[in-house]
Amino acid sequence: MSDIFEYAPAPESRDVVDIRPSYGLFVNGEWIDSLGDERHKTLNPATEEALAEFSYATPADVDRAVDAARKAYDSVWGRMPGRERAKYLFRIARIVQERARELAVLESLDNGKPIRESRDVDLPLVAAHFFYYAGWADKLRHAGLGEDPRPLGVAAQIIPWNFPLLMLAWKIAPALACGNTVVLKPAETTPLTALAFAEICRQADLPPGVVNIVTGAGETGQALAGHEGVDKVAFTGSTEVGRLIARSVAGTRKKLTLELGGKAANIVFDDAALDQAVEGIVNGIFFNQGHVCCAGSRLLVQESVEDELLAALKRRLATLRLGDPLDKNTDIGAVNSAAQLDRIRELSDAGEAEGAQRWSPPCALPDKGFWFPPTLFTGVAQSHRIAREEIFGPVLSVLTFRTPAEAVEKANNTPYGLSAGVWTEKGSRILWMADRLRAGVVWANTFNKFDPTSPFGGYKESGYGREGGRHGLEAYLDV
Amino acid sequence: MSTPTTSLTEVASSGATLRAFLHGLPGVDRVGADQRAATLGTRSIKTTAKAKAIDLAISMVDLTTLEGADTPGKVRAMCAKAVRPDPADASVPKVAAVCVYPDLVPHAVEALRGTGVRVASVATGFPSGRTSLAVKVDDTALAVASGADEIDMVIDRGAFLAGDYLTVYEQIVAVKAACARKDGEDAHLKVILETGELVTYDNVRRASWLAMVAGADFIKTSTGKVAPAATLPVTLVMLEAVRDFRDRTGRMVGVKPAGGIRTTKDAIKNLVLVNETAGPDWLTAEWFRLGASSLLNDLLMQRTKLTTGHYAGPDYFTLD
């Protein structure tokens, strides 16, 4: 009887995507070859199979892309009325919806995230961001940012590998709505959906040069952020790289927004709705294999319910299904790269060495690919590395507290400040906590919820500036 | 919840202790519960898993007719269908039980003798329950004396919503006592919470615990006469309750969603919910039932589709 719900595999078909063997750069509405000859392969992290070859753009390539963006800004996009720009953005949003299945499969292939998440979370949000900012394009004067806010010019945008297409949407949609043109560099492990987006720009008849996509790694990013022809730099990624970019931009006229790491506290009080808190903890840290900058990687649980909550959490973790990202029943997919897997392993080992207790549910890992089981550490102290450093993987550190004040103190005792979660049935306590938590987003009785209308961004080493919502326009306007 | 076999009898020693206990249960966040049920509803059950799920679902059906117009003839026809759901295919399992009003129990008992299909009867002033305890007990005794294996009782929602938990508790205890049969066995008691009238998920959780503490063998969502009936989140909350109750007492209680489950898809979603909430121990007709009348034919239709590759029209399945 027990094998009834060995759910038979339900893989999403790969046939809906058409991956070319090799990609160039997308500049001025055309595919061009890189002037350099450094080319790399992007892997499917679940199988280590090479998916396609792409270029590492050289500084000269970046020059060409920035020039194209400048020309498009001066001649077409910067002077186009907002209502006309809106039409393009609406068109892009609709094409994204029409091609959602294909894009979701492509994202899961290249990134390793479960199709359930790329299909049900990423793609709907990508479309929603374009729809939302399309609505703003002709209403910028009503955004509360001055009488006649003007675009900045050319935006250099560098995005990470955890939500490749969603981060692209977060960057490109507001930039275009405000009248800027962009040069975007996707992460070197996940370039495919950005390259597919280039095709969407052509399909939408976007004027050449408004969106340019250059692929590559750190050096390409450096050339782009440091390029004297750009007016704005937007970066999402690690705090370490964020610091480098901040240094390179300092003293120039460029505007900068940074969205960096996090070590969010997910705070559970003893009166919380327990079953839903467990779901929120799972969603907070195991969503997207924990590759989420606002992941709830520190669980702060009130001491009086620690045993009960941990028992419920362990029981729930045992039901998580790890495996083929394209299977619709998979909850946890592959870690994005070998390098990231090494980092997760290193920090987890450090957790054990420092004396925290490690626990994972019984969980078979596939032979090939990059995998890490859902893991939780109990007996964690604030001074442990696993409580301080961002792991960016499916690893939860459990700490305890006794009073609300102690919870706030511990939650804020971190170099980061991107997000926090509070679980309690008491409304007044939620408000009291939200006032005191130093985090850009505070979720109450939920976690990892995103919406284009809601601003997102952090304090301290989690960066500065806001993306999303009305506030997100400010980063792309001269106000 | 981590202390198994703790006795819960003292919680009902007074109205105040019972109230304190029920209100001390962890709350249920509606948004979160709805979301969890919706997520589990996206599990994709295909091929072999689907074939097994369909047969399991058929074996869990309580085939039900609860109309004022019911006749002995209709009940006999339904019993025939319960034993042999698909005349064209002997490999289809029998359903778990047929469920009828108390006065029709003798006809069902006769038609089902020796088949293994159980007879369930709604008693206690079904569906509103607005009658005296004496009548409810008599109603139950009549059904049990007529040979019913299972009694589906309704709780007094008025008393529950008024906060008079002790009255509800005592009525369940009394009806449970009336389930005793002459042969020394008990008829199984299924307690219907009528969750559509309890409205909040907190109430659903409290009513579930109240029924279990009072001795229910099964907790059941609805009479089928009130909308909304068995929604997925309500079933989820009840499954969490039986799971936590077993952790605490060691005793297993069954769950029966009833009303509004019409399609194979709905049935499979329920099975996924059981599997991932209470666990596979509950995935048998002994611990999980589907109260339904029109579900069976859809299950049969989907089963035929899986074996033949074609959809047959509704006329290929019997109406009873």
Side-chain angles (χ1 to χ4, degrees):
Chain A
M1 202 57 97
S2 65
D3 66 336
I4 282 160
F5 278 139
E6 292 301 319
Y7 305 150
E12 182 69 74
S13 168
R14 270 185 73 155
D15 299 343
V16 293
V17 296
D18 184 18
I19 304 175
R20 289 192 234 153
S22 141
Y23 288 87
L25 309 171
F26 185 70
V27 172
N28 206 30
E30 303 288 339
W31 291 105
I32 61 167
D33 290 331
S34 167
L35 298 170
D37 50 14
E38 195 179 354
R39 301 181 64 73
H40 288 263
K41 289 191 163 102
T42 179
L43 302 183
N44 175 347
T47 60
E48 299 176 54
E49 161 210 8
L51 294 170
E53 206 179 59
F54 65 99
S55 310
Y56 271 31
T58 63
D61 294 323
V62 172
D63 274 345
R64 292 196 287 174
V66 173
D67 284 349
R70 173 63 59 192
K71 281 199 192 87
Y73 175 74
D74 288 338
S75 61
V76 191
W77 198 252
R79 40 174 83 186
M80 187 185 283
R83 63 177 184 278
E84 292 300 316
R85 290 200 303 271
K87 289 181 191 169
Y88 287 100
L89 286 167
F90 277 122
R91 204 180 293 157
I92 289 172
R94 287 195 302 268
I95 297 172
V96 165
Q97 284 185 322
E98 282 160 14
R99 296 176 62 171
R101 186 146 165 259
E102 170 198 347
L103 292 168
V105 171
L106 189 58
E107 194 80 310
S108 285
L109 280 174
D110 202 20
N111 170 279
K113 65 173 65 194
I115 186 77
R116 193 166 66 79
E117 291 175 6
S118 50
R119 177 194 66 190
D120 297 347
V121 181
D122 293 33
L123 262 298
L125 276 172
V126 168
H129 269 85
F130 279 101
F131 277 121
Y132 175 75
Y133 279 109
W136 270 118
D138 60 350
K139 303 175 192 70
L140 299 174
R141 282 187 298 159
H142 308 286
L145 301 170
E147 288 276 297
D148 186 24
R150 310 292 307 156
L152 297 170
V154 176
Q157 306 183 318
I158 301 169
I159 58 170
W161 46 260
N162 57 343
F163 292 93
L165 196 55
L166 183 58
M167 291 300 107
L168 174 147
W170 280 27
K171 294 275 183 294
I172 290 186
L176 297 195
C178 292
N180 305 276
T181 56
V182 307
V183 180
L184 177 127
K185 186 195 87 67
E188 69 271 28
T189 60
T190 56
L192 291 185
T193 42
L195 295 167
F197 184 80
E199 291 289 356
I200 290 176
C201 292
R202 294 216 324 189
Q203 207 181 332
D205 280 331
L206 197 67
V210 174
V211 169
N212 304 276
I213 294 177
V214 292
T215 48
E219 281 178 25
T220 308
Q222 230 172 344
L224 180 57
H227 198 286
E228 59 185 20
V230 305
D231 306 288
K232 152 83 188 176
V233 176
F235 173 76
T236 296
S238 72
T239 296
E240 196 187 338
V241 177
R243 276 201 200 96
L244 286 176
I245 290 179
R247 272 195 208 105
S248 81
V249 167
T252 69
R253 69 194 154 76
K254 295 176 199 170
K255 281 185 65 161
L256 175 65
T257 43
L258 296 174
E259 208 268 87
L260 308 174
K263 193 71 191 175
N266 208 354
I267 305 163
V268 180
F269 285 94
D270 59 4
D271 69 339
L274 208 67
D275 289 303
Q276 284 72 50
V278 166
E279 288 308 314
I281 295 162
V282 168
N283 187 40
I285 184 63
F286 300 115
F287 176 64
N288 202 28
Q289 295 73 248
H291 302 329
V292 184
C293 46
C294 52
S297 52
R298 284 185 299 150
L299 172 64
L300 293 180
V301 54
Q302 195 157 9
E303 230 172 70
S304 49
V305 286
E306 187 194 5
D307 292 348
E308 202 176 326
L309 185 75
L310 282 177
L313 188 57
K314 287 178 175 178
R315 182 180 59 214
R316 175 66 177 88
L317 256 54
T319 68
L320 286 174
R321 311 169 63 84
L322 178 145
D324 179 7
L326 284 190
D327 188 329
K328 292 171 205 160
N329 292 323
T330 292
D331 298 316
I332 300 210
V335 171
N336 182 248
S337 64
Q340 186 56 28
L341 182 58
D342 286 345
R343 174 165 170 80
I344 298 170
R345 283 185 178 146
E346 187 219 322
L347 275 161
S348 304
D349 292 347
E352 256 176 328
E354 286 167 343
Q357 287 83 53
R358 177 185 192 145
W359 184 89
S360 286
C363 178
L365 301 182
D367 301 331
K368 275 195 151 178
F370 317 124
W371 303 91
F372 198 85
T375 298
L376 63 88
F377 278 100
T378 51
V380 178
Q382 284 287 91
S383 56
H384 288 165
R385 277 182 77 193
I386 51 170
R388 310 294 300 168
E389 296 179 31
E390 186 178 39
I391 300 175
F392 225 61
V395 181
L396 179 68
S397 300
V398 184
L399 299 99
T400 59
F401 68 90
R402 287 157 296 183
T403 63
E406 189 186 349
V408 169
E409 211 176 347
K410 281 188 167 164
N412 287 341
N413 180 221
T414 165
Y416 296 107
L418 194 51
S419 65
V422 181
W423 297 82
T424 170
E425 288 287 274
K426 207 174 169 75
S428 59
R429 187 182 287 145
I430 289 171
L431 299 175
W432 189 91
M433 294 289 293
D435 272 348
R436 284 160 184 79
L437 289 167
R438 300 285 293 163
V441 185
V442 178
W443 283 293
N445 292 333
T446 188
F447 209 93
N448 270 346
K449 282 280 163 286
F450 303 99
D451 189 292
T453 64
S454 169
F456 184 90
Y459 286 81
K460 298 190 276 186
E461 294 203 8
S462 290
Y464 41 80
R466 292 290 180 264
E467 294 187 285
R470 185 176 61 81
H471 304 73
L473 295 167
E474 194 176 353
Y476 290 96
L477 288 172
D478 187 9
V479 296
Chain B
M1 306 268 162
S2 48
T3 44
T5 68
T6 307
S7 164
L8 283 171
T9 43
E10 66 272 26
V11 303
S13 55
S14 77
T17 53
L18 187 54
R19 183 185 175 79
F21 172 76
L22 293 177
H23 284 258
L25 294 168
V28 187
D29 183 79
R30 176 173 282 267
V31 177
D34 286 350
Q35 198 179 306
R36 174 69 177 145
T39 306
L40 285 176
T42 66
R43 287 288 193 225
S44 186
I45 306 300
K46 300 283 181 216
T47 59
T48 51
K50 185 173 183 183
K52 285 183 177 172
I54 288 175
D55 278 3
L56 183 64
I58 292 172
S59 77
M60 289 171 164
V61 165
D62 280 6
L63 207 53
T64 302
T65 182
L66 296 170
E67 291 164 19
D70 285 347
T71 59
K74 176 166 186 196
V75 169
R76 276 194 294 274
M78 198 173 75
C79 290
K81 173 130 181 175
V83 177
R84 183 80 191 253
D86 186 348
D89 186 350
S91 70
V92 177
K94 295 171 191 157
V95 306
V98 297
C99 183
V100 295
Y101 274 116
D103 62 318
L104 292 166
V105 167
H107 303 283
V109 167
E110 199 191 310
L112 291 172
R113 187 164 288 133
T115 62
V117 176
R118 295 161 70 91
V119 178
S121 179
V122 293
T124 68
F126 185 92
S128 72
R130 300 215 80 103
T131 177
S132 71
L133 179 58
V135 170
K136 289 178 182 177
V137 168
D138 281 355
D139 202 14
T140 307
L142 168 72
V144 173
S146 310
D149 304 298
E150 301 173 354
I151 296 297
D152 291 24
M153 83 167 279
V154 290
I155 64 164
D156 183 340
R157 283 88 76 188
F160 184 91
L161 290 170
D164 187 2
Y165 302 129
L166 198 59
T167 295
V168 181
Y169 174 87
E170 283 168 348
Q171 291 194 359
I172 298 172
V173 170
V175 172
K176 171 85 181 167
C179 286
R181 287 205 302 226
K182 282 191 184 132
D183 59 7
E185 297 280 303
D186 277 355
H188 265 146
L189 180 63
K190 303 198 197 108
V191 177
I192 304 174
L193 311 179
E194 195 64 292
T195 52
E197 291 184 349
L198 300 183
V199 182
T200 71
Y201 296 170
D202 284 329
N203 277 345
V204 171
R205 175 167 287 177
R206 287 174 192 143
S208 299
W209 276 84
L210 179 58
M212 293 188 292
V213 171
D217 298 299
F218 253 80
I219 50 177
K220 175 175 167 183
T221 59
S222 327
T223 59
K225 307 287 185 193
V226 170
T231 65
L232 278 182
V234 158
T235 307
L236 172 75
V237 172
M238 289 167 61
L239 285 163
E240 287 167 355
V242 296
R243 175 197 70 197
D244 293 343
F245 187 77
R246 182 173 73 168
D247 283 353
R248 175 127 172 199
T249 65
R251 186 162 83 81
M252 254 173 104
V253 174
V255 176
K256 177 177 171 184
I261 303 167
R262 294 194 180 86
T263 65
T264 301
K265 218 174 209 172
D266 290 340
I268 290 178
K269 283 180 185 177
N270 271 281
L271 298 184
V272 168
L273 217 57
V274 174
N275 188 42
E276 299 203 31
T277 308
D281 288 355
W282 267 267
L283 275 179
T284 81
E286 195 183 347
W287 300 112
F288 194 75
R289 295 283 177 83
L290 297 159
S293 39
S294 58
L295 168 66
L296 183 56
N297 270 8
D298 193 65
L299 286 165
L300 295 174
M301 202 171 342
Q302 296 294 337
R303 194 181 190 277
T304 309
K305 160 75 168 51
L306 273 186
T307 44
T308 66
H310 309 287
Y311 273 114
D315 285 346
Y316 288 80
F317 302 94
T318 57
L319 269 180
D320 302 319

